[in-house]
Amino acid sequence: MAAIIIPKTLKGFRDFLPEAEIARKELVDKAEACFRAYGFVPIDTPALEYAEILLGKGGGETEKQIYRFADNGGRDVALRFDLTVPFARFLAAHRLELPIPFKRYHIAKVWRGENTQAGRYREFSQCDFDIVGTDGLAADFEILLVMREALLAIAGGPVTIKINHRGLFNRFLDTLGVGKQAAEVLRVVDKQAKAGRAETLRALVSVVGEEKAEAICAFAGTRGSFEETLAAMTAAAGGPCPESERLAQLYHSMRGMGIEKNFVLDPSITRGLDYYTGIVFESFLNERPRLGSVCSGGRYDNLVGLYSREPLSGVGASIGIDRLIAGLESLGRIEERRSYAQVGIVIINEKDMWACHGLARAFRQSGVMCEVLPEIAGSRDSKRLVKQYVLAEKMGLEYVLVPGDEPLDDRVDLRYIPDRSTANNISFELAVQICKYPRLRETYLKRG
Amino acid sequence: MAAIIIPKTLKGFRDFLPEAEIARKELVDKAEACFRAYGFVPIDTPALEYAEILLGKGGGETEKQIYRFADNGGRDVALRFDLTVPFARFLAAHRLELPIPFKRYHIAKVWRGENTQAGRYREFSQCDFDIVGTDGLAADFEILLVMREALLAIAGGPVTIKINHRGLFNRFLDTLGVGKQAAEVLRVVDKQAKAGRAETLRALVSVVGEEKAEAICAFAGTRGSFEETLAAMTAAAGGPCPESERLAQLYHSMRGMGIEKNFVLDPSITRGLDYYTGIVFESFLNERPRLGSVCSGGRYDNLVGLYSREPLSGVGASIGIDRLIAGLESLGRIEERRSYAQVGIVIINEKDMWACHGLARAFRQSGVMCEVLPEIAGSRDSKRLVKQYVLAEKMGLEYVLVPGDEPLDDRVDLRYIPDRSTANNISFELAVQICKYPRLRETYLKRG
């Protein structure tokens, strides 16, 4: 006998069984419905690109994590590790074909050969949405609106979006006389939620000295209402400036729409990545704050610099699909759905197969998703019929229909029959008996 | 100035711009709606697997085309080149967790480093659906039903599904005394549509000699109604047998449902792949027969043999998404849709931004997808307003709303306002002026 190949997957890679894939699709569908309603359009880019394109200036963590190899033609290629870099390349290549400003979303898998501990995967979905080609406040506001709406739809519970403005933080650092160390300071502050205040202070001291480190920690620690925090930040940054005006106008607009309660101005939100230049934001499920941010992003000056001499600014965010699913699972908010069909029909005799499918068609035409169980039961008193009930339960069906010749009795539940006459019209000579299957199964097992 | 990286993609790989991606998604949505209505459930598997898993016994074309490399951990890995092999591995790994028979669909990208001539791509979508774990006729019938319904929904025009039974063809070859050459004969016959009858005959002669080659060509050339063809095939195969019975029962069931006109029994359909053992089928758009098959498949004895000692039979099909899109494009049936939104709202002043978004929200709540154009026009007489009309046209929006203080006039088209009072309630102090934008643009340009 030939040797068997063990059917294993690579470390960090997952199979999605129906229940998990249905949950993932439902989440994605909710996000997509929201993007589309706001006029965002989908794009897709290749999974595989020239390594040079994806690595850009290269170096650092990315280079170590990327799946890179020589293809059969000897090209130096790699799997995309995020959707931002391919989007930048896409914009540089197709700029003239697109309406600018351009509002796109992109939901796709990406690959990183990173350490798989702590629930990290080497293949995972990203869900990005951006508005590029405008540095206007209206785009910032719209991204925040879409984030809020998509997250509320997905989470089914309260969410908080924490925002900050890197430009305002930088002004504060200038006022403090440490503007040149801004990039490093922002990276340290970004890690405060994980590292804790003491460790953050220690790290800052080594960058800017003790006194200024204290001032930075105090600035990042500013709390209060949006207006109070903004006033304190503005004062610390040397008084009113375009960035503080922008935040004030954002708050005015949130209040106008009555959505301000979902937003917090939090100067400790800085985002680690260097390319952000304006507002930055992170989002949290109020019921699971420790989960970390489930949607993050910000405004960038120029996304396409590596591939084009004409800059293109924008603002965008990325929903952490896997993290959200983990959070919703822990909240018991992922519906355990194993099938889209509600009703299953059993075929008793092969010659009546078409009639069962005719009945199923009638159900579908009435908007009820309907499964015909693919095995022939043979008779109404067979073990194979019992097997169909077991199968229906495993599939997660709610009802099983067994064509029968017994009179309809009190076990019958007609609410899924859209029109009794439809059922009769399909030329079954036998009556159609509809039973909520666990009850019927019990009855059957008692009889059997 | 730093050098620019040319933003190119790899040969055989494509960017999907919004219009193409929207078209692809619409097609996929139609197929998915059909699968779900029939009780098929989605799964997903990793893009990257152990090369050993994907190559199985290996050799041949696959090995040359596959993207295979050593990952950072030195593992011998490869990108999936179809969805069938990963499905077999998936079934062997998860059999006990699944309801058997199991009805799944899987829509995902696959990668093959093949020659890119003739519209072939190195990255393309596959859309597979299968019923495994039963060798029953009901599963064969259901796959054909789903194929028909999905293709009719997608094509928006007539389709023909050609079916055959490999077992019956093999019986005929046994009767002819050339059963041992069956695999080779079927492969030659499979290519007849491309190679032509003369070339096919020549190839057959070299396998089975002149006389028998003529007989095989005659058998494969049998034409007529389903029943006539079946009778002729049955006679040539030595009389009634389980395979001919099965085809007869299929036809009876098609007639029962009144769908027989979409099906043709065609003994020249054999499918090249070795693993098919029962019915096989190919599908064609009646208006574009030369496009080739847009959905093909068949029944197989055992899918999981490489990974499990317990066989699992099934039946399945694969929709050729790229080919279908090409066919529908040539038929002018791909709607040129560049946005999901119908209505665009222009922001005149930043301080009213929230009100424009409030109006957009009211539209969305009424089911109208609505875009707020992300740039501030500044005034109703600005060049930037004209730019918004141009942008709206490029985005494919149907209507643009410009908040204004002029009285409503005969240019106003109210049909997209679900409820005038909603528009008034959002506290615009100015009236909301709704114009079908090309007309308004003309007016503006005349005035300007």
Side-chain angles (χ1 to χ4, degrees):
Chain A
M1 206 171 193
I4 295 294
I5 301 171
I6 305 297
K8 65 189 173 189
T9 51
L10 290 161
K11 195 178 153 198
F13 288 76
R14 290 169 287 175
D15 282 327
F16 285 80
L17 272 76
E19 198 167 337
E21 184 63 5
I22 288 174
R24 203 190 65 80
K25 274 181 186 274
E26 285 199 356
L27 191 150
V28 165
D29 284 351
K30 282 177 190 167
E32 246 187 309
C34 183
F35 300 152
R36 292 178 181 188
Y38 275 84
F40 286 72
V41 288
I43 66 161
D44 201 10
T45 65
L48 211 59
E49 302 232 18
Y50 282 103
E52 179 196 40
I53 296 271
L54 297 183
L55 288 168
K57 291 164 201 151
E61 279 306 294
T62 307
E63 192 127 18
K64 275 184 250 158
Q65 295 182 349
I66 199 167
Y67 284 94
R68 179 179 184 176
F69 60 99
D71 75 3
N72 289 345
R75 298 171 198 89
D76 180 11
V77 301
L79 287 167
R80 66 181 166 216
F81 60 90
D82 75 1
L83 301 179
T84 306
V85 175
F87 184 43
R89 197 265 310 140
F90 176 98
L91 285 168
H94 303 291
R95 185 173 201 147
L96 297 177
E97 303 159 71
L98 300 170
I100 305 283
F102 180 55
K103 294 160 64 172
R104 84 86 173 80
Y105 70 91
H106 190 188
I107 304 168
K109 303 251 162 140
V110 301
W111 297 269
R112 291 182 198 171
E114 55 189 339
N115 220 316
T116 53
Q117 66 200 9
R120 294 234 171 187
Y121 296 104
R122 289 179 173 170
E123 175 180 62
F124 55 98
S125 294
Q126 285 207 334
C127 172
D128 284 18
F129 53 106
D130 291 78
I131 304 177
V132 296
T134 168
D135 56 9
L137 172 67
D140 292 0
F141 185 56
E142 182 165 355
I143 288 290
L144 292 173
L145 278 182
V146 173
M147 271 175 74
R148 176 185 169 274
E149 195 163 311
L151 290 177
L152 286 175
I154 291 168
V159 299
T160 295
I161 300 173
K162 296 183 181 177
I163 67 176
N164 189 16
H165 196 300
R166 273 206 176 186
L168 192 57
F169 205 125
N170 285 338
R171 273 188 199 269
F172 160 70
L173 295 178
D174 283 341
T175 308
L176 209 60
V178 294
K180 283 186 182 155
Q181 290 97 314
E184 209 172 335
V185 167
L186 291 178
R187 264 196 298 276
V188 172
V189 172
D190 179 53
K191 289 180 187 142
Q192 184 174 325
K194 270 187 196 163
R197 192 178 194 280
E199 176 55 37
T200 303
L201 186 60
R202 217 171 1 248
L204 286 174
V205 168
S206 77
V207 182
V208 297
E210 198 168 328
E211 195 187 337
K212 292 175 178 179
E214 288 281 4
I216 292 168
C217 271
F219 180 84
T222 311
R223 294 293 179 275
S225 71
F226 199 109
E227 284 166 307
E228 286 162 4
T229 306
L230 180 55
M233 289 172 71
T234 305
C241 56
E243 293 81 10
S244 67
E245 277 309 302
R246 196 156 173 135
L247 287 171
Q249 182 61 47
L250 268 186
Y251 184 64
H252 165 77
S253 302
M254 288 168 190
R255 287 200 50 170
M257 289 193 77
I259 58 170
E260 71 277 14
K261 73 173 196 308
N262 294 112
F263 295 91
V264 169
L265 182 58
D266 182 341
S268 72
I269 302 295
T270 62
R271 307 294 302 146
L273 297 165
D274 287 342
Y275 55 81
Y276 292 120
T277 51
I279 59 160
V280 286
F281 34 80
E282 297 188 349
S283 320
F284 303 86
L285 303 181
N286 294 5
E287 297 148 291
R288 286 290 180 272
R290 297 218 168 179
L291 192 65
S293 176
V294 293
C295 180
S296 316
R299 167 165 285 288
Y300 37 84
D301 255 354
N302 186 12
L303 193 60
V304 301
L306 281 174
Y307 319 106
S308 166
R309 297 209 192 279
E310 220 181 315
L312 207 52
S313 64
V315 57
S318 184
I319 297 179
I321 293 182
D322 291 292
R323 189 176 279 182
L324 258 175
I325 288 179
L328 295 176
E329 262 172 1
S330 83
L331 286 165
R333 294 230 182 91
I334 299 280
E335 199 193 345
E336 287 188 25
R337 198 172 174 183
R338 279 160 291 162
S339 174
Y340 293 100
Q342 299 165 287
V343 177
I345 299 176
V346 173
I347 306 172
I348 299 290
N349 300 304
E350 202 168 86
K351 70 174 175 42
D352 294 329
M353 181 169 82
W354 64 270
C356 295
H357 276 289
L359 179 61
R361 180 170 59 185
F363 271 111
R364 289 184 203 113
Q365 282 164 353
S366 309
V368 176
M369 296 201 186
C370 185
E371 151 103 33
V372 176
L373 294 165
E375 281 178 319
I376 312 289
S379 85
R380 302 191 70 255
D381 274 307
S382 68
K383 281 202 179 149
R384 266 186 293 170
L385 182 57
V386 180
K387 196 181 151 200
Q388 302 313 306
Y389 299 137
V390 175
L391 180 62
E393 192 156 26
K394 203 163 178 185
M395 295 171 97
L397 299 174
E398 293 170 58
Y399 295 88
V400 171
L401 271 69
V402 184
D405 50 4
E406 291 177 9
L408 299 171
D409 66 19
D410 66 338
R411 286 180 283 118
V412 169
D413 182 337
L414 286 176
R415 82 185 123 122
Y416 275 112
I417 283 275
D419 177 6
R420 279 290 302 151
S421 64
T422 308
N424 291 330
N425 277 343
I426 57 145
S427 344
F428 256 125
E429 284 153 25
L430 311 171
V432 172
Q433 191 171 348
I434 307 119
C435 298
K436 195 156 184 184
Y437 74 88
R439 271 194 286 160
L440 179 59
R441 192 175 48 161
E442 272 166 39
T443 310
Y444 179 81
L445 290 175
K446 270 181 216 148
R447 282 193 301 178
Chain B
M1 207 172 193
I4 295 293
I5 301 171
I6 304 297
K8 66 189 171 188
T9 51
L10 290 161
K11 197 177 151 197
F13 288 76
R14 290 169 288 175
D15 282 328
F16 284 81
L17 272 75
E19 198 166 339
E21 184 63 6
I22 288 173
R24 202 189 65 80
K25 275 181 185 275
E26 286 199 355
L27 191 151
V28 165
D29 284 351
K30 283 176 189 167
E32 244 186 312
C34 183
F35 300 151
R36 293 179 180 188
Y38 276 84
F40 287 72
V41 288
I43 66 160
D44 200 10
T45 65
L48 210 59
E49 302 232 18
Y50 283 103
E52 179 197 38
I53 295 271
L54 296 183
L55 288 168
K57 291 164 201 153
E61 281 304 294
T62 307
E63 191 128 18
K64 274 184 251 157
Q65 294 181 352
I66 200 168
Y67 284 94
R68 178 180 183 175
F69 60 99
D71 76 3
N72 290 345
R75 299 172 197 88
D76 181 11
V77 300
L79 287 167
R80 65 180 166 215
F81 60 91
D82 74 1
L83 301 179
T84 306
V85 175
F87 184 42
R89 197 265 310 140
F90 177 96
L91 285 169
H94 303 291
R95 186 173 200 149
L96 296 177
E97 303 158 71
L98 300 170
I100 305 282
F102 181 55
K103 295 160 64 171
R104 84 87 172 79
Y105 69 90
H106 190 188
I107 304 169
K109 304 250 161 142
V110 303
W111 296 271
R112 291 183 198 170
E114 56 189 337
N115 220 315
T116 54
Q117 67 199 9
R120 294 234 172 189
Y121 296 104
R122 290 180 172 169
E123 175 180 63
F124 55 99
S125 293
Q126 285 207 334
C127 172
D128 284 18
F129 53 106
D130 290 78
I131 304 177
V132 296
T134 167
D135 56 9
L137 173 66
D140 292 1
F141 185 56
E142 182 166 355
I143 288 290
L144 292 172
L145 278 182
V146 173
M147 271 175 75
R148 175 185 171 274
E149 195 163 311
L151 289 177
L152 287 175
I154 292 168
V159 299
T160 295
I161 300 172
K162 297 184 180 176
I163 68 176
N164 189 15
H165 197 301
R166 274 205 174 185
L168 192 58
F169 204 125
N170 284 339
R171 274 187 198 269
F172 160 71
L173 294 178
D174 283 342
T175 307
L176 208 61
V178 294
K180 284 186 181 157
Q181 289 97 314
E184 209 172 333
V185 167
L186 292 179
R187 263 197 299 276
V188 172
V189 172
D190 179 53
K191 291 182 185 139
Q192 185 174 323
K194 270 187 195 161
R197 194 180 192 280
E199 176 54 36
T200 303
L201 187 59
R202 219 175 353 255
L204 285 175
V205 168
S206 76
V207 181
V208 296
E210 197 167 330
E211 196 186 335
K212 292 177 177 178
E214 287 282 4
I216 293 169
C217 270
F219 180 83
T222 312
R223 294 292 180 275
S225 71
F226 199 109
E227 283 165 309
E228 286 161 5
T229 306
L230 180 55
M233 288 172 72
T234 305
C241 56
E243 292 81 10
S244 66
E245 277 308 303
R246 197 158 172 130
L247 287 171
Q249 182 60 47
L250 268 186
Y251 185 63
H252 165 77
S253 302
M254 289 169 190
R255 286 198 51 169
M257 288 192 76
I259 58 169
E260 71 278 13
K261 72 173 200 305
N262 293 113
F263 294 90
V264 170
L265 181 58
D266 182 341
S268 73
I269 301 296
T270 62
R271 306 296 300 147
L273 296 166
D274 287 343
Y275 56 81
Y276 291 121
T277 51
I279 59 159
V280 286
F281 33 79
E282 298 189 348
S283 321
F284 302 86
L285 303 181
N286 293 8
E287 297 149 291
R288 286 288 180 277
R290 297 217 167 180
L291 193 65
S293 176
V294 293
C295 180
S296 315
R299 168 166 286 286
Y300 37 83
D301 256 354
N302 186 12
L303 193 61
V304 300
L306 280 174
Y307 318 106
S308 166
R309 298 211 191 279
E310 219 183 314
L312 207 52
S313 65
V315 56
S318 184
I319 297 179
I321 291 183
D322 290 292
R323 189 176 278 184
L324 258 176
I325 288 180
L328 295 176
E329 263 172 2
S330 84
L331 287 165
R333 293 229 183 91
I334 298 280
E335 196 193 347
E336 288 189 23
R337 196 172 175 183
R338 279 161 292 163
S339 174
Y340 293 100
Q342 299 165 289
V343 176
I345 299 177
V346 175
I347 306 171
I348 300 290
N349 300 304
E350 203 168 86
K351 72 175 174 41
D352 294 330
M353 182 169 82
W354 64 270
C356 295
H357 276 288
L359 179 60
R361 180 170 61 185
F363 272 110
R364 289 184 203 113
Q365 282 164 353
S366 309
V368 177
M369 296 200 186
C370 185
E371 151 104 34
V372 176
L373 294 165
E375 282 179 319
I376 312 290
S379 85
R380 302 191 69 255
D381 274 307
S382 68
K383 279 198 181 151
R384 267 185 292 170
L385 182 58
V386 179
K387 197 182 150 200
Q388 302 313 306
Y389 299 138
V390 175
L391 179 62
E393 193 155 26
K394 202 162 179 185
M395 294 171 97
L397 298 174
E398 293 170 56
Y399 296 88
V400 170
L401 271 68
V402 184
D405 50 5
E406 290 177 9
L408 298 170
D409 65 18
D410 64 339
R411 285 178 284 118
V412 170
D413 182 338
L414 287 177
R415 84 183 122 123
Y416 274 112
I417 284 274
D419 176 5
R420 278 292 301 153
S421 64
T422 309
N424 291 330
N425 278 342
I426 58 146
S427 359
F428 256 124
E429 283 152 26
L430 311 171
V432 172
Q433 190 171 348
I434 308 120
C435 296
K436 198 162 179 180
Y437 73 88
R439 271 194 288 162
L440 180 59
R441 191 175 46 164
E442 273 166 38
T443 310
Y444 179 81
L445 291 174
K446 270 182 217 148
R447 282 193 300 178

